[in-house]
Amino acid sequence: MPIGQVQRDQFGGLLRTLRLEQGLTQEELAEAAGSSVRGIREMERGRVRSPQRRTVALLADALRLAGADRDRFVALARAERQLHDRVTVPHDRPALVVPGELPAAVPDLAGRAEILERLSTLAADVTAGRSDTASVVVLHGPPGIGKTSLAVAAGHRLSPAFTGGQLFVDLQGASPDGPVDPAEALAGLLRSLGVPDSRVPVSPAERGGLFRTLTRDRPLLVVLDNAANEAQVRPLLPAGRGCLALVTCRRPLTGLAGAVRQPLDLLTPAAGRLLLAAIVGADRIAAEPAAADQLVKLCGRLPLAVRIAGNRLASRPQWSVGWLVDQLRDQRRRLTVLTAGDLGVRSAFEVSYRQLDPMTARVFRRASLIPGTDFEPALVAAVAGTDEETAAAALEELVEAGVLLTMGDRYQFHDLVRLYAQERLDAEEQQTCRTGAHDQMVGWLLRRTRQAGAMFEPVACRADSPFDDDRAAASWLDRESGNWLAALRDAARRGWHADVVAVARALHWYSDANSHRHSWDEIFSLGVAAAQAAGSPRDEAVLLNFLGWARYFCRDRNTDGLAALGRALELARRIGDRREEAWALTYTAAILIRIGSGGSAIDHGRRAVGLFREIGYALGEHSAMSAQGGALAALGRFAEAAELHRDVLAFYGRGNGLSSTGTAVAQAGAMMSLGADLAGMGRWRDAADEYARARRVFNRCGATFSEASAIHRYGLALQALGEVDAAAEALRAALALYAALSCPWWEAQTLYALAALAGAAPDRAADARPLLQRALDRCGELDAPEVRTLRATLRRELAES
């Protein structure tokens, strides 16, 4: 229909008629013209009486107008714009409006006092006009961390300083319906500042310009809540030096230049209790303090979860705190229990999850299968069935979305988020897919663990290893211990006997340098059981030897160690395995030395040396020589022992096939043995020097228990030299390392030595009794001859004191 036949004489009516003739919706016309749906709607309603020239031209193009029709369309728009300009005073400014749009603050904000103080200081600098002060603060963190509550509370606290008013916009960045268009948000901000609808520009750029003009000279606080990204926030930032913008977002908005970023952490246990008490009542929480602490823990110290739990208790006064704790213990129901009215932890996570792309969502779901508390991209790639680069990108996206935490180059779920990820996995993937992903992860962990362990084996082939050297392998084994140990347990439960045996055997040489860092008695027990189930007596003998070592050296269970070694010796002899027979004799000699059977130890050591020599295994031969030397020292034959230990030390200084770490640990062990020989001969200064050398080597290798042992012996040598203060300092350092490794027997011995030092000094004699009591406490329920002897000594000395 020609434009001349249109009965409507206003631009808005004409626009609507032409759109309908073309069969276009407002959304389709907006997309074609590069405009907003709201802009089209406002023009058609006649609320925009001065459409911009560029906007009119783009609309004409979208409506396919040409010739006279186009000219009349443009002319009508021009006529309305000229009429609007005649009745509007160009310099007329909107009436000054002082907005106060902050929602009500929650009355029970807890654990955020430090951040509020920091924001108050920043606000004071902003209102003072300091040019070097940031005027944008991004409060970021995962769903449910309390970003909005903090921003609103801060807004109320800071509002007296911003006399120009306080604006609040919910940008709906995590809304299922999508975020608010910045142009729409600008229109709302302009109205809040007193701009009438008829004066709100159609162009987003012009809206932004007007907003900056109106905020240039007024002290204004703007709270931009629930932002989606930097592009949404930038146009909404006020221009005045005296303005402050508080932005809340699940992402840190790292692309926002000049902003101060404030991450929000989980509540401390104390803050969680305070929040519960504020909601439920202090008396009710005080009546069940242990249950209250457990409730905060089960809520993952997430403010939203704690608040929901508190609301549920407050609405049901007949419930005890303990009853709700019992409900939350069931992981399958925890997210359902943490729902109160329109508040729900699950729904908070759901919003972020629904915005993920398919691969990132898959990574999120399948990462919940990982058993450890933290993980690396390579492991995620294995469980998600993708490459490491894709997995790493997805993990970063999950961090940005606020549903995953970072720990350096590793990642971690919040406990409640993990439960939600497991729910999505169960709901969206078939059982066969879940099982396949789990098996793929376990297989990858077992394979990588074998490869890492192989880096420590003598004369091992490391050409195809993913690790550059043994240090890199040790670092991976330490970081991933929670994952590979869980995988080993899983493989044992499922009867993957060959894999369990292979992993347990591969870790032996690594265990020498990391004797107290992992549960070696459990690991080698799993290996023994798998070897038995697989019907492999040679593997069983090998792993029984490893188990015997773990029991006596790592757990101070000498009797249990002898039992395992006895089985290894019997089995090795039965199958004719002289190498494992020799190892069983070597380890047995070490235990015999510990329990005071030096004569038997010498015999075992001598036989082990002979067997190793017969089969041409030099590494085993010198290990047995070291044990033989220890047995000689136990019988007071220190010079003979020192000669053997110097030969052993020289051997480890030559090529021996061990990894660099293995060689260093073996050398340091020989230094320790030589130091004990020198101490036995009364050469305390020489002994102290050997212990100090060993300590430095153990420290470089990360062999913490052995380092503690070296420091302990160094302290005893200094004590013998009369250097009391230096001796006490060394013994305290050893005690700290033993305590960190949870070695009660060695803690007890060190405490006893410290008590002896204190008792010998008149000015510190009062310190001796507490040290003796602590030593007795650390003996605990340990049951071994040497422990019983020390326990009796401690009780006698306590009674005498």
Side-chain angles (χ1 to χ4, degrees):
M1 178 185 295
I3 291 179
Q5 298 180 26
V6 176
Q7 300 301 312
R8 301 291 296 274
D9 60 357
Q10 290 186 344
F11 178 75
L14 175 61
L15 176 62
R16 182 174 186 276
T17 300
L18 290 171
R19 175 177 63 79
L20 294 174
E21 286 181 351
Q22 293 289 332
L24 298 174
T25 64
Q26 290 180 337
E27 289 78 6
E28 290 169 339
L29 179 57
E31 182 178 359
S35 183
S36 68
V37 176
R38 183 187 176 95
I40 300 294
R41 186 184 307 122
E42 298 288 276
M43 282 187 279
E44 290 187 356
R45 290 176 178 175
R47 299 178 69 174
V48 177
R49 303 300 297 272
S50 56
Q52 301 300 310
R53 293 180 180 86
R54 175 171 173 76
T55 301
V56 172
L58 291 171
L59 287 169
D61 291 342
L63 292 167
R64 301 174 184 173
L65 298 178
D69 288 347
R70 185 184 182 96
D71 292 341
R72 292 188 185 98
F73 181 76
V74 172
L76 183 55
R78 185 188 306 119
E80 290 208 4
R81 187 164 55 250
Q82 291 171 348
L83 176 63
H84 181 270
D85 290 343
R86 286 198 298 272
V87 300
T88 302
V89 180
H91 59 274
D92 181 31
R93 295 177 62 86
L96 182 64
V97 174
V98 180
E101 298 182 344
L102 294 174
V106 294
D108 45 27
L109 191 71
R112 305 303 188 201
E114 185 178 340
I115 298 177
L116 287 171
E117 284 299 321
R118 199 172 302 139
L119 292 175
S120 295
T121 301
L122 180 65
D125 290 342
V126 167
T127 54
R130 289 188 52 176
S131 59
D132 59 344
T133 300
S135 58
V136 180
V137 179
V138 180
L139 304 173
H140 63 93
I145 202 70
K147 301 180 290 295
T148 299
S149 295
L150 175 60
V152 171
H156 283 286
R157 180 170 178 169
L158 305 178
S159 59
F162 295 95
T163 56
Q166 305 87 43
L167 297 171
F168 182 90
V169 183
D170 182 359
L171 296 175
Q172 300 179 35
S175 170
D177 299 327
V180 172
D181 188 312
E184 298 290 327
L186 277 170
L189 289 170
L190 291 173
R191 295 187 191 99
S192 296
L193 293 174
V195 178
D197 285 344
S198 60
R199 295 283 310 280
V200 175
V202 174
S203 164
E206 291 178 354
R207 288 180 182 181
L210 180 57
F211 177 65
R212 290 189 292 275
T213 298
L214 295 178
T215 59
R216 184 178 55 205
D217 299 318
R218 63 193 295 176
L220 192 70
L221 176 68
V222 180
V223 178
L224 303 174
D225 188 39
N226 199 9
N229 50 46
E230 294 89 341
Q232 187 190 33
V233 169
R234 287 193 188 98
L236 311 180
L237 298 177
R241 184 171 293 178
C243 297
L244 177 64
L246 298 181
V247 184
T248 73
C249 187
R250 299 184 178 189
R251 305 168 183 267
L253 299 182
T254 52
L256 210 58
V260 172
R261 289 167 185 83
Q262 177 61 62
L264 299 189
D265 295 326
L266 300 171
L267 296 174
T268 65
R273 287 194 302 274
L274 285 175
L275 179 55
L276 272 181
I279 299 171
V280 177
D283 292 344
R284 196 168 168 190
I285 297 304
E288 298 180 81
D293 290 344
Q294 189 64 23
L295 181 61
V296 172
K297 182 178 179 180
L298 289 171
C299 289
R301 296 188 284 122
L302 188 70
L304 175 62
V306 175
R307 186 175 298 281
I308 290 172
N311 289 346
R312 297 206 69 183
L313 286 171
S315 65
R316 292 168 175 80
Q318 73 277 15
W319 283 7
S320 68
V321 179
W323 188 88
L324 183 56
V325 166
D326 289 339
Q327 299 300 302
L328 291 172
R329 289 190 196 280
D330 184 352
Q331 293 188 358
R332 296 166 301 177
R333 299 185 61 249
R334 191 175 301 169
L335 296 181
T336 299
V337 174
L338 289 174
T339 304
D342 62 351
L343 287 179
V345 172
R346 181 187 285 111
S347 59
F349 301 152
E350 182 85 14
V351 171
S352 289
Y353 177 73
R354 293 305 175 194
Q355 295 177 339
L356 302 176
D357 64 76
M359 175 52 74
T360 304
R362 180 181 184 179
V363 165
F364 174 74
R365 294 190 303 269
R366 292 200 176 180
S368 68
L369 291 169
I370 296 174
T373 57
D374 54 84
F375 41 85
E376 63 177 1
L379 177 54
V380 174
V383 75
T386 186
D387 60 88
E388 188 172 346
E389 183 178 353
T390 300
L395 289 168
E396 284 300 311
E397 178 61 26
L398 292 171
V399 172
E400 286 283 307
V403 292
L404 208 59
L405 308 174
T406 54
M407 302 172 56
D409 59 350
R410 298 179 68 76
Y411 301 85
Q412 183 177 21
F413 276 115
H414 181 274
D415 291 346
L416 297 179
V417 177
R418 180 188 286 272
L419 292 179
Y420 175 74
Q422 290 170 346
E423 284 188 355
R424 298 321 315 154
L425 180 67
D426 290 343
E428 298 183 31
E429 298 199 33
Q430 297 292 329
Q431 179 63 53
T432 53
C433 294
R434 301 197 300 269
T435 301
H438 175 270
D439 291 353
Q440 189 167 288
M441 172 190 68
V442 170
W444 185 89
L445 280 167
L446 297 179
R447 183 169 59 256
R448 187 60 61 94
T449 304
R450 289 199 307 272
Q451 292 170 325
M455 297 298 291
F456 295 85
E457 293 179 2
V459 201
C461 177
R462 307 181 182 103
D464 60 345
S465 175
F467 302 103
D468 294 334
D469 53 32
D470 54 306
R471 292 180 182 274
S475 176
W476 184 88
L477 286 166
D478 289 346
R479 293 195 315 270
E480 294 293 343
S481 60
N483 292 316
W484 62 254
L485 181 52
L488 188 66
R489 290 168 179 155
D490 186 83
R493 283 192 300 269
R494 301 176 66 185
W496 296 7
H497 304 311
D499 291 309
V500 174
V501 167
V503 169
R505 291 199 58 167
L507 290 170
H508 167 60
W509 292 100
Y510 164 74
S511 70
D512 275 352
N514 298 273
S515 56
H516 288 67
R517 194 165 296 166
H518 305 295
S519 303
W520 295 116
D521 50 340
E522 179 192 2
I523 292 166
F524 296 138
S525 290
L526 293 174
V528 169
Q532 290 174 335
S536 176
R538 186 175 189 283
D539 286 325
E540 185 181 351
V542 170
L543 289 160
L544 279 168
N545 274 326
F546 297 170
L547 179 59
W549 167 84
R551 285 178 173 174
Y552 88 82
F553 191 79
C554 305
R555 291 291 181 261
D556 301 305
R557 291 161 49 193
N558 296 327
T559 303
D560 291 340
L562 286 173
L565 294 170
R567 290 168 56 197
L569 184 60
E570 179 185 355
L571 184 56
R573 285 173 173 167
R574 177 157 55 86
I575 62 176
D577 191 330
R578 290 189 293 169
R579 176 164 161 165
E580 292 312 313
E581 179 183 354
W583 278 122
L585 291 168
T586 302
Y587 291 136
T588 300
I591 299 180
L592 292 173
I593 295 168
R594 281 191 168 199
I595 63 177
S597 299
S600 296
I602 287 180
D603 178 61
H604 280 70
R606 185 180 298 114
R607 288 157 56 197
V609 169
L611 283 171
F612 280 130
R613 194 168 288 162
E614 285 178 21
I615 63 175
Y617 187 37
L619 183 58
E621 177 186 345
H622 286 82
S623 295
M625 284 173 59
S626 184
Q628 188 178 7
L632 289 169
L635 294 176
R637 297 160 62 178
F638 299 112
E640 296 174 70
E643 184 177 352
L644 276 178
H645 288 139
R646 287 191 180 97
D647 287 345
V648 171
L649 186 57
F651 168 77
Y652 288 126
R654 303 190 296 269
N656 50 60
L658 286 171
S659 66
S660 59
T661 299
T663 295
V665 169
Q667 285 179 321
M671 294 171 194
M672 292 282 286
S673 297
L674 181 58
D677 302 334
L678 295 169
M681 290 185 277
R683 296 168 55 183
W684 290 105
R685 178 60 63 192
D686 292 335
D689 291 344
E690 289 297 332
Y691 294 144
R693 288 174 61 200
R695 172 190 183 177
R696 291 191 292 270
V697 176
F698 285 135
N699 178 268
R700 287 198 304 270
C701 297
T704 308
F705 173 79
S706 296
E707 179 188 359
S709 182
I711 299 171
H712 183 184
R713 294 196 193 181
Y714 177 70
L716 295 178
L718 294 179
Q719 180 183 11
L721 289 166
E723 300 176 17
V724 176
D725 291 339
E729 182 181 357
L731 290 171
R732 284 192 292 268
L735 180 64
L737 292 178
Y738 284 142
L741 293 170
S742 187
C743 301
W745 167 234
W746 295 98
E747 288 178 67
Q749 293 181 83
T750 310
L751 285 163
Y752 183 50
L754 283 167
L757 282 175
D763 58 330
R764 286 186 286 182
D767 297 335
R769 183 175 177 82
L771 290 166
L772 291 170
Q773 186 60 58
R774 287 175 60 193
L776 183 60
D777 293 340
R778 294 313 292 147
C779 285
E781 298 180 358
L782 295 173
D783 187 22
E786 60 270 31
V787 179
R788 289 194 291 271
T789 300
L790 178 59
R791 186 184 290 118
T793 301
L794 291 168
R795 286 172 175 162
R796 184 183 66 252
E797 294 189 17
L798 280 168
E800 292 172 352
S801 65

